[in-house]
Amino acid sequence: MVTGPSRTCAVGGSGNRDCARDPATGLYEERTRLPDEGDAARAREYALLAVLLARAPDAGFLTRIAKLRGDATPLGIAHGALAEAAKRASAEKIAREFFDLFVGVGRGELLAYGSYYLAGFLNERPLARLRGDLHALGIERVEGQSEPEDHAAILCEIMAGLIGGQFPATVEGQRQIFEKHLAPWIGRFFADMMVADAADFYRHVGAIGRHFIEIETQAFALTG
């Protein structure tokens, strides 16, 4: 969970009315502050990834995911594959998969932290730099939140909030957060998820993340 100057937003939950999400999908219920449909789609993609990386989906969430529509693009194909996986999977099996991937006994197969990918250890300088940049935007971790801000779920939540207007930022502000704190590592994280031994359902989540981050990287390069 992270807070902005006047709003609270929690991964997988809901904050105030401006930041409320559908508990089944993690998508924003209030969309009046989103600038256009393109940004609305971007915010929904980040929000979906944030929820899937924060917790294993329950049966209701899987039902919603199964209704995702694909298309002929790489991202659309990944959406369709995730929808098919959601139709076949059980919430109990995916909960075990989530545990093996991200929690584990001692540690999970994957470590979803920027500091780990960039510095080789947790809670290193990349996290400190991220906190400084978030503080400049008025975004801070709320008391009681166990995960640091460089967790992939929280970074996706922050991007969804920046794009959707829950946190104040210009397009340049979005670009700086993305290029400094997501682009250097999160694509590799999603690629690792696609080939992780424990991944089945989450292999498709990794594919969505990898393709989406590639699109974001290209789009921000054009605005830089």
Side-chain angles (χ1 to χ4, degrees):
M1 176 183 283
V2 290
T3 63
S6 61
R7 297 175 181 86
T8 301
C9 197
V11 172
S14 62
N16 63 17
R17 189 167 182 267
D18 281 344
C19 197
R21 289 184 184 149
D22 184 321
T25 66
L27 309 187
Y28 288 106
E29 295 173 348
E30 293 291 327
R31 296 177 183 159
T32 57
R33 305 191 66 234
L34 292 172
D36 56 41
E37 283 304 310
D39 282 343
R42 293 174 60 220
R44 289 195 297 268
E45 204 76 62
Y46 276 116
L48 177 62
L49 289 169
V51 176
L52 286 170
L53 295 173
R55 69 167 190 269
D58 60 17
F61 196 166
L62 287 174
T63 298
R64 297 294 294 271
I65 293 173
K67 296 177 182 179
L68 286 173
R69 296 180 180 178
D71 57 36
T73 66
L75 182 59
I77 292 170
H79 281 151
L82 182 66
E84 289 301 315
K87 294 175 185 177
R88 300 191 304 266
S90 70
E92 293 77 12
K93 181 179 178 181
I94 296 177
R96 291 194 296 272
E97 179 181 341
F98 184 93
F99 179 86
D100 291 339
L101 282 172
F102 304 116
V103 183
V105 177
R107 55 156 285 185
E109 185 176 351
L110 299 176
L111 291 173
Y113 305 94
S115 286
Y116 175 77
Y117 273 83
L118 297 174
F121 300 94
L122 303 182
N123 300 311
E124 289 291 329
R125 288 184 179 179
L127 175 58
R129 290 193 289 266
L130 171 63
R131 284 174 172 165
D133 288 343
L134 294 179
H135 180 75
L137 293 172
I139 301 173
E140 297 180 354
R141 184 175 63 167
V142 299
E143 185 176 354
Q145 169 64 44
S146 60
E147 295 289 5
E149 295 90 330
D150 66 341
H151 189 283
I154 295 178
L155 284 169
C156 287
E157 177 192 14
I158 289 168
M159 287 299 299
L162 292 173
I163 295 163
Q166 283 70 37
F167 305 136
T170 62
V171 173
E172 176 62 17
Q174 295 176 32
R175 186 182 68 81
Q176 289 182 5
I177 292 295
F178 178 84
E179 291 187 346
K180 291 176 66 176
H181 303 295
L182 283 85
W185 72 276
I186 203 166
R188 286 187 286 143
F189 164 69
F190 285 123
D192 289 344
M193 192 185 304
M194 292 174 64
V195 298
D197 291 339
D200 183 7
F201 176 84
Y202 272 87
R203 176 166 53 90
H204 304 293
V205 177
I208 288 175
R210 184 171 65 85
H211 290 306
F212 180 58
I213 292 302
E214 288 176 354
I215 292 169
E216 286 285 274
T217 300
Q218 294 168 7
F220 279 121
L222 294 175
T223 64

